[in-house]
């Protein structure tokens, strides 16, 4: 019998047991957090409001809301009620792509990078019309002038990522079928395969894996899907390490990867580059001869369709290769829209 996500996934209770700080890290929103005060990603969906206080659309996702007796509140889309799936597809354009399509599109990215087809696998269509793939069992060879480290450090971004099926493929998001490590096809999966093929010691593997995670980015509007994406990336780290060394990584390594993920997979309105629902009309009270006048100011960015003029909270990410002038260390905080402008 094939495993489903319910059998394969470590739930929030188990993550909390693994490390008390782990879930807090995975819930952190770096854009809105201040020194000494953590702010978490928020629900950004009304699906959970029937559960009561703390589950409202604009409420932050807190560990106690999704652990203990609430340990199964956040579920992958395939396990959600069909009415909920339909509503989210209709209202939020939430569509999850079958793994074979993710694989086909990821193959095109690698074909362009390597200069040849079928680098990691080749697509298969069975007689009944179902699609799958067969993994290339050979060690991956690199084109002249490029190394395995170049591939691991190549930046990749999944937009409106949902549960991040293009980055990691622990399970097929449309069926819930668990996918073994050896058959995975995500962009991060491919990097971690390369890491495992080209390192021998745990130290070498961990350093290369950190580079892989620093090069993978994704954003999502809805908080529950974002948390599931972050969890999937973290669990993949544990599973690939276990597959390579037949043991689990140390807790400090798991926490460090969770920290990278919390920066690189973030909550954002992808059309505006701001925290969801932070942009809009502002009301300002101005004094007058007869008291005060209410003045409404629309968002200039929305009016002019100008990405740089929104009055919302612009999302902050990390450029891990740039040096922060304030600290002298690698890892510069940067607005996502500024990174786009630099690359344009």
């Amino acid at each position: 019998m094939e495993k489903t996500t319910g059998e394969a996934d470590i739930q929030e209770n188990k993550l909390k047991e693994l490390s008390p700080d782990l879930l807090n890290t995975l819930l952190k929103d770096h854009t809105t957090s201040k020194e000494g005060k953590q702010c978490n990603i928020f629900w950004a969906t009304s699906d959970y409001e029937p559960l009561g206080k703390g589950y409202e659309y604009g409420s932050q996702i807190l560990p106690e809301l999704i652990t203990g007796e609430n340990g199964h509140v956040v579920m992958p889309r395939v396990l959600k009620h069909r009415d909920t799936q339909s509503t989210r597809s209709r209202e939020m354009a939430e569509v999850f792509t079958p793994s074979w399509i993710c694989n086909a599109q990821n193959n095109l990215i690698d074909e362009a990078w390597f200069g040849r087809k079928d680098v990691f696998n080749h697509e298969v269509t069975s007689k009944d019309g179902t699609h799958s793939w067969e993994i290339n069992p050979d060690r991956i060879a690199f084109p002249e002038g490029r190394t395995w480290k170049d591939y691991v450090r190549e930046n990749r971004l999944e937009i409106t990522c949902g549960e991040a099926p293009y980055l990691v493929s622990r399970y097929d998001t449309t069926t819930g079928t668990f996918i073994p490590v050896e058959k995975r096809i995500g962009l991060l999966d491919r990097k971690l395969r390369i890491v495992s093929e080209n390192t021998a010691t745990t130290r070498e593997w961990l350093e290369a894996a950190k580079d892989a995670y620093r090069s993978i980015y994704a954003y999502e509007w809805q908080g529950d899907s974002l948390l599931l994406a972050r969890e999937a990336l973290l669990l993949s780290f544990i599973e690939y390490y276990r597959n390579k060394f037949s043991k689990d990584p140390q807790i400090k390594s798991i926490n460090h990867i969770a920290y990278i993920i919390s920066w690189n997979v973030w909550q954002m309105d992808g059309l505006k580059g701001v925290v969801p629902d932070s942009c809009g009309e502002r009301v300002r009270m101005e004094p007058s001869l007869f008291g005060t006048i209410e003045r409404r100011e629309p968002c200039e960015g929305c009016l002019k369709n100008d990405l740089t003029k929104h009055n919302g909270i612009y999302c902050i990410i990390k450029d891990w290769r740039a040096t922060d002038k304030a600290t002298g260390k690698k890892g510069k905080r940067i607005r996502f829209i500024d990174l786009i402008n630099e690359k344009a």
Side-chain angles (χ1 to χ4, degrees), residues 43-55:
W43 292 105
T45 173
S46 300
D47 291 348
Y48 301 90
E49 290 184 350
L51 297 177
K53 185 175 176 56
Y55 295 97

Side-chain angles (χ1 to χ4, degrees), residues 157-203:
L157 168 69
E158 181 177 357
I159 64 172
T160 57
C161 69
E163 295 169 23
Y166 283 92
L167 297 186
V168 285
S169 57
R170 296 186 66 249
Y171 56 89
D172 189 304
T173 56
T174 61
T175 65
T177 303
F178 182 76
I179 301 174
V181 168
E182 296 81 3
K183 286 204 66 177
R184 295 182 187 175
I185 50 80
L187 296 171
L188 178 60
D189 292 317
R190 298 170 189 231
K191 289 173 179 278
L192 293 177
R193 171 180 171 172
I194 294 299
V195 169
S196 292
E197 287 183 350
N198 290 277
T199 58
T201 68
T202 56
R203 180 185 294 273

Side-chain angles (χ1 to χ4, degrees), residues 200-212:
T201 68
T202 56
R203 180 185 294 273
E204 292 173 336
W205 193 95
L206 287 169
E207 287 305 310
K210 289 175 187 176
D211 282 341

Side-chain angles (χ1 to χ4, degrees), residues 17-114:
E17 291 171 7
L18 195 60
S19 171
D21 297 326
L22 196 54
L23 200 52
N24 279 325
T25 300
L26 289 178
L27 288 170
K28 185 171 183 177
D29 180 74
H30 289 277
T31 297
T32 55
S33 292
K34 307 297 181 184
E35 187 173 351
K37 182 181 180 181
Q38 173 168 326
C39 292
N40 289 356
I41 60 177
F42 68 103
W43 292 105
T45 173
S46 300
D47 291 348
Y48 301 90
E49 290 184 350
L51 297 177
K53 185 175 176 56
Y55 295 97
E56 298 90 350
Y57 181 99
S59 297
Q60 295 183 41
I61 304 178
L62 304 176
E64 59 267 27
L65 299 176
I66 55 174
T67 56
E69 293 182 356
N70 301 318
H72 296 282
V73 164
V74 177
M75 296 185 296
R77 183 178 188 273
V78 69
L79 298 180
K80 289 183 172 77
H81 193 279
R82 289 197 175 189
D83 288 344
T84 300
Q85 293 182 23
S86 298
T87 299
R88 288 170 70 126
S89 295
R90 183 174 62 253
E91 296 181 357
M92 298 300 297
E94 183 180 74
V95 178
F96 282 71
T97 311
S99 292
W100 70 269
I101 294 181
C102 295
N103 179 58
Q105 293 176 320
N106 286 349
N107 280 352
L108 291 175
I109 295 172
D110 282 327
E111 181 179 340
W113 197 90
F114 281 87

Side-chain angles (χ1 to χ4, degrees), residues 267-278:
Q267 190 165 29
M268 186 173 76
D269 178 338
L271 297 178
K272 302 176 182 178
V274 301
V275 173
D277 293 321
S278 66

